[in-house]
Amino acid sequence: SQQGEEDPQALSIQEGENATMNCSYKTSINNLQWYRQNSGRGLVHLILIRSNEREKHSGRLRVTLDTSKKSSSLLITASRAADTASYFCATDTGGGNKLTFGTGTQLKVEL
Amino acid sequence: DADVTQTPRNRITKTGKRIMLECSQTKGHDRMYWYRQDPGLGLRLIYYSFDVKDINKGEISDGYSVSRQAQAKFSLSLESAIPNQTALYFCATSERQGANEKLFFGSGTQLSVL
């Protein structure tokens, strides 16, 4: 079963709006990562947040982590059409375990 | 040039055929991975390797085998392809920074088994 589940599965917004995606997971983690995938292409690493961190920023990206709720959110501010892609969370449970990916959120940013 | 290169980009084959997907990297990473992606299921790990002499099964290794020919090369084989192996396959490498590890992906191979 998937460690990470993203919500919503699909999101459509207008350019300039903010986009928020959520990820819930089941077991304790070492870190949580967000990746982006343009249609049919490889995933690209966006940001990593450690289990002892609560919030992290990178450009227009803001990631929060709530380990008590086993959830994370990715906020993209002032979205652009070029942000249209699928976004995946991935959890690292440490101890030699590998990254486990969620099912992704498809974001469409319309002009 | 891409840091992680997969060949071929697309492949159509028939049930029962043997097929090999290849991956090479110029990032100098020791760790390499093969994932498959199916619609609605995210990415699932098939096999991974931490160095040339190390091969490990992932979540869904049945029906697949791998070979780590060199630090830079990691190939995935389907000995006898079946239609439910139709998927998008990704190779990835990683560097471990302390306790944290992030992946770098190739562009993928779309495999169709008829």
Side-chain angles (χ1 to χ4, degrees), chain B residues 10-83:
Chain B
N10 293 280
R11 181 72 182 266
I12 299 173
T13 191
K14 295 183 178 180
T15 297
K17 293 290 187 182
R18 184 179 188 275
I19 185 166
M20 180 182 288
L21 309 183
E22 302 199 32
C23 177
S24 63
Q25 53 117 345
T26 58
K27 299 190 75 67
H29 292 164
D30 287 327
R31 299 181 174 209
M32 298 186 74
Y33 305 80
W34 275 104
Y35 285 89
R36 67 176 275 176
Q37 183 178 32
D38 298 273
L41 292 179
L43 275 78
R44 292 181 291 168
L45 182 62
I46 307 172
Y47 269 97
Y48 61 100
S49 169
F50 284 172
D51 66 38
V52 175
K53 299 178 182 178
D54 179 73
I55 300 290
N56 304 281
K57 292 183 178 181
E59 183 185 350
I60 52 162
S61 58
D62 288 347
Y64 301 94
S65 62
V66 291
S67 175
R68 185 79 183 269
Q69 302 96 319
Q71 187 208 34
K73 296 184 182 295
F74 192 36
S75 60
L76 175 72
S77 294
L78 288 68
E79 296 302 324
S80 179
I82 56 177

Side-chain angles (χ1 to χ4, degrees), chain A residues 1-2 30-31 33 35 37 40-45 48 50 88 92 94 96 98-99 101-103, chain B residues 9 31 33 35 37 40-45 48 50 88 90 96 99-103 105-107:
Chain A
S1 62
Q2 295 292 332
N30 183 47
N31 66 66
Q33 304 177 30
Y35 288 80
Q37 182 184 32
R41 308 293 293 182
L43 281 71
V44 174
H45 182 268
L48 179 153
R50 298 181 178 85
F88 294 86
D92 181 348
K98 305 299 118 237
L99 280 179
F101 286 82
T103 52
Chain B
R9 287 300 313 278
R31 299 181 174 209
Y33 305 80
Y35 285 89
Q37 183 178 32
L41 292 179
L43 275 78
R44 292 181 291 168
L45 182 62
Y48 61 100
F50 284 172
L88 184 56
F90 288 105
R96 195 158 187 93
N100 300 310
E101 179 176 15
K102 55 184 179 182
L103 299 179
F105 285 83
S107 296

Side-chain angles (χ1 to χ4, degrees), chain A residues 62-81:
Chain A
R62 174 183 167 235
V63 170
T64 61
L65 179 64
D66 186 334
T67 53
S68 66
K69 295 182 179 178
K70 291 186 171 57
S71 68
S72 173
S73 67
L74 171 66
L75 168 68
I76 304 174
T77 60
S79 63
R80 306 166 182 168

